[in-house]
Amino acid sequence: MNADTDRPTFLLVHGAWCWDPVRAALGAGNWRSHAIDLPSANPPAGRHDGAPVGMLDDADAIRDSLRRIDGPVVMIAHSYGGVPTTEAIADAANVVRAVYLAGFQLDAGESMFTFLGAPVPDDGTGHAPPYEDARRILVDDVPEADADRAVARLRPQSVRSFTERVTTAGWRTVPSSYVVCDRDRALEPSRQRQLATRADSVHRLPSSHSPFLSMPRQLATLLGRIAISALPTARR
């Protein structure tokens, strides 16, 4: 089935591999999509000046992906991916909506650590390892074999990405939606509801932190409904 070119394209952030089931479901529904890996989750990556990559580098990677997409785009930002997405969409003319999926919809001046009230390390040049109990925290509602494969693909992430502050909050000018994951053990639903007060619409899924693996078809259906709402009335 060919994708409907009158519809917006989804750009899914971050971790390209984890979106495969959702992208398949979106394609079956006649939606185009792209997924992006962020440099901060690639441990060998570094900047030309030798410093570790951080949130602002991730935002640049998102901007580069957006420039490669023709037509309107709906951003889907999961977890930490919400931080660089917020930074990147402020000056992206083709983004028509941002969807935060259990994501950090931060305001200017906030970092992921400051929002969570976590102490900022003196040395922010290292990498944070994945959760020790990632199976329980991230994918406890995912079939065992799929969950094991997902945990095996987790990678360290640069500490700098968690400590760099947002300089401009794109959701203040781009319409946004928030999807609260009610069974999330990584970002507590109460925290998600706090972030969701910044969005224009709020939705819920009875999922863990990883609905793209536990309920990809339901998530794709919800994303399609949200994207349709971003279209001008005459084109719906």
Side-chain angles (χ1 to χ4, degrees), residues 6-155:
D6 289 334
R7 289 178 168 187
T9 298
F10 290 103
L11 180 58
L12 305 151
V13 183
H14 73 119
W17 65 268
C18 69
W19 293 107
D20 287 347
V22 174
R23 294 190 66 198
L26 288 170
N30 217 21
W31 292 98
R32 293 168 295 164
S33 66
H34 301 276
I36 182 174
D37 287 318
L38 297 180
S40 68
N42 181 15
R47 304 192 323 186
H48 295 303
D49 60 4
V53 295
M55 185 276 292
L56 296 176
D57 301 287
D58 290 340
D60 284 341
I62 294 170
R63 292 187 187 100
D64 184 61
S65 292
L66 286 170
R67 285 191 288 267
R68 298 169 186 268
I69 299 174
D70 293 327
V73 177
V74 173
M75 297 291 308
I76 312 299
H78 175 250
S79 194
Y80 160 77
V83 187
T85 294
T86 292
E87 183 77 23
I89 63 176
D91 55 3
N94 58 338
V95 176
V96 295
R97 181 165 289 269
V99 181
Y100 293 84
L101 177 62
F104 285 88
Q105 188 169 353
L106 301 185
D107 208 346
E110 294 179 330
S111 71
M112 203 178 87
F113 271 22
T114 62
F115 175 79
L116 293 174
V120 177
D122 294 333
D123 180 6
T125 62
H127 285 82
Y131 288 105
E132 289 186 6
D133 193 7
R135 176 72 173 82
R136 181 184 66 84
I137 295 173
L138 300 178
V139 288
D140 72 320
D141 58 348
V142 176
E144 185 174 358
D146 294 335
D148 289 343
R149 283 192 292 269
V151 170
R153 299 191 70 164
L154 296 174
R155 295 293 181 267

Side-chain angles (χ1 to χ4, degrees), residues 187-209:
L187 180 58
E188 294 180 0
S190 61
R191 290 281 199 177
Q192 294 181 47
R193 291 190 291 271
Q194 179 183 353
L195 290 162
T197 61
R198 298 170 173 178
D200 302 303
S201 63
V202 182
H203 310 266
R204 296 172 61 181
L205 287 175
S207 76
S208 69
H209 195 60

